[in-house]
Each structure stands twice: as C-alpha cells, then as structure tokens.
C-alpha cells in the first residue's frame, strides 16, 4: 500500500507533474486560481500588504530596489537577502488561504512568503538564485502571480541555456530539486506598457 502524506497524496508526489530540466524541476500551472479569486487577491494584497521601499548599499551608495517588497510568515523567522534582513509580519487571512491552496501541489509546508510588487515595466528583479543558506539544500519555492503578465527567465549557470515562461494572472510556478543551485532567474524590465504585478514566493526558512 502506498504511503499517504498529510495532504492525502502519495508520499513525495505532487498532484501536478513536474517538468524535468537539466539539474532541476518545475511545475507551471496557469489559471491555478480562478479569475474571480485572482482579481480579489490582487486588490486585497495591493491594498492591505505593508509594502516597503527597501534599499541596499552598493559601492558606498544607497540604491533603491526596483520594486516594493514585503515579508510575511511565522513570526520567528528573520530572513536575509540582497544585503538586508527582514523580520516577518504575521500571515494575513488571504496569505494563509493562498498558502493552504498551493501546499498540496508543492508537497511542502511553507513558513514564510516574500512579496514583490512591480509597479510598471521599469520594476524588475535581476539574475539571482533563491539559494540563501536559510533555505537549505534543494529549496522548494512556490511562486504565485497576480496582475500583469511578466516574462520570467531561467538561465543555467554552466550551459547558459535559457528558459522563458510568461507568468500570468492567477498562475503558480513551483521550482524544486537542484534548480536553485544550477539556474538563476530574473524578471527583466520591459519597454512595453504593463500594469502592476504582484508576485508571492512562498519559502521554507530552516
Ligand atoms: O517576481 C517573480 O516572478 C520572481 C521573484 C523572485 O525571484 C524573488 O523574489 O526571489
Ligand atoms: Mn528569486
């Protein structure tokens, strides 16, 4: 008899089939949230999340992040990235609902979420990996998108192979396996006129 986990799935298996790539796996589910729920979450998160304009020191100059950010989760897990340390706010009702909905797909219980708000095409996140030491080995990242469609690019650090995914309103992207150790990702600026976009990356901080 197959062992069922706390989500009722066969142990270690997701309900969605992952796509295997060189040194990693991902699951992409467009329309994971209905249009109605996605519109609702976009409005509520935009208005209720405590968005910050963070900056970091680069060569002795304070440089503003080209996006707004926020950090929520179990409130005992501070998190450092890009030279700053954030202490989380506690889960809101909507963030908990979204987390509950994606956990069976990721087969993981997340304890925090980093939110990004891209106000227009000038906002972006440049090449990086989500491989901070607090995330441990082979981190599972659950990325949820509301609002404008933006291009998400993956680039293998050795072969330089590129994969591009248009992340749409209500979509879910799970990155897993060795992916964070071998692939960088980014959301580049765009000259096209785009509306606001919210991205939520759910993580497990050890
Ligand atoms: O906005 C996205 O799709 C990616 C965000 C991201 O990579 C991050 O917050 O680490
Ligand atoms: Mn990232």
């Amino acid at each position: 008899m197959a062992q069922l986990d706390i989500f009722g799935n066969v142990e270690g298996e997701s309900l969605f089939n992952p796509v295997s790539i060189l040194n990693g796996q991902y699951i992409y589910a467009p329309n994971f949230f209905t249009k109605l729920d996605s519109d609702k979450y976009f409005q509520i998160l935009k208005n209720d999340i405590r968005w910050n304009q963070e900056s970091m020191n680069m060569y002795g100059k304070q440089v503003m992040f080209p996006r707004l950010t926020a950090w929520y989760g179990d409130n005992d897990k501070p998190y450092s990235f890009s030279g700053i340390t954030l202490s989380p706010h506690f889960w809101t009702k909507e963030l908990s609902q979204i987390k509950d909905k994606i956990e069976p797909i990721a087969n993981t219980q997340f304890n925090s979420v980093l939110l990004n708000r891209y106000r227009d095409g000038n906002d972006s996140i440049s090449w990086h990996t989500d491989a901070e030491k607090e995330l441990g080995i082979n981190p599972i990242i659950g990325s949820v998108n509301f609002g404008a469609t933006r291009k998400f690019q993956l680039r293998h650090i050795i072969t330089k192979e590129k994969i591009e995914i248009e992340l749409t309103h209500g979509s879910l992207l799970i990155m897993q396996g060795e992916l964070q150790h071998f692939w960088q990702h980014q959301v580049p600026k765009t000259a096209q006129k785009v509306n606001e976009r919210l991205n939520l990356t759910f993580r497990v901080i050890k």
Side-chain angles (χ1 to χ4, degrees):
M1 245 294 261
Q3 191 78 26
L4 298 187
D5 65 16
I6 53 161
F7 302 114
N9 302 338
V10 176
E11 186 102 66
E13 281 182 23
S14 166
L15 298 170
F16 286 64
N17 280 334
V19 177
S20 282
I21 53 177
L22 178 67
N23 304 122
Q25 288 164 2
Y26 68 85
I27 294 169
Y28 182 56
N31 309 314
F32 182 71
F33 293 90
T34 64
K35 166 94 170 56
L36 201 68
D37 279 350
S38 303
D39 291 350
K40 178 190 79 178
Y41 285 136
F42 178 79
Q43 282 311 327
I44 294 176
L45 295 171
K46 189 176 138 164
N47 293 328
D48 292 0
I49 290 297
R50 293 156 73 171
W51 297 103
N52 294 311
Q53 172 64 74
E54 300 288 349
S55 59
M56 64 175 164
N57 195 296
M58 256 173 103
Y59 310 109
K61 256 179 51 185
Q62 277 308 113
V63 179
M64 293 210 286
F65 281 25
R67 61 192 180 279
L68 304 181
T69 57
W71 179 241
Y72 282 71
D74 300 358
N75 46 21
D76 58 346
K77 304 272 180 200
Y79 184 53
S80 300
F81 69 99
S82 300
I84 63 170
T85 301
L86 295 180
S87 283
H89 300 295
F90 193 68
W91 301 106
T92 65
K93 183 178 97 198
E94 289 75 22
L95 290 175
S96 290
Q97 284 171 359
I98 296 167
K99 174 171 110 65
D100 289 349
K101 180 123 201 265
I102 71 166
E103 281 181 338
I105 317 305
N107 224 328
T108 295
Q109 286 181 293
F110 295 109
N111 61 14
S112 50
V113 60
L114 177 63
L115 294 98
N116 290 300
R117 178 169 171 184
Y118 303 85
R119 292 156 290 188
D120 57 29
N122 265 321
D123 275 356
S124 62
I125 189 164
S126 56
W127 290 117
H128 69 284
T129 59
D130 296 342
E132 289 83 4
K133 67 172 186 326
E134 298 96 316
L135 298 175
I137 295 175
N138 294 348
I140 299 176
I141 309 285
S143 169
V144 172
N145 305 286
F146 299 120
T149 296
R150 292 287 294 263
K151 209 169 261 170
F152 179 85
Q153 298 172 319
L154 286 158
R155 181 176 70 183
H156 194 282
I157 58 170
I158 300 163
T159 67
K160 307 294 177 203
E161 183 191 346
K162 258 194 187 178
I163 295 172
E164 210 165 83
I165 306 172
E166 300 275 344
L167 298 179
T168 55
H169 188 43
S171 65
L172 168 67
L173 173 72
I174 311 257
M175 296 183 274
Q176 60 188 43
E178 296 179 303
L179 194 141
Q180 295 308 326
H181 305 301
F182 287 92
W183 296 79
Q184 295 177 310
H185 55 272
Q186 72 165 355
V187 176
K189 291 186 197 303
T190 172
Q192 279 160 23
K193 188 158 170 23
V194 288
N195 287 329
E196 204 150 14
R197 164 178 184 261
L198 307 181
N199 170 261
L200 292 61
T201 49
F202 289 83
R203 299 155 186 249
V204 182
I205 305 294
K206 309 279 177 192

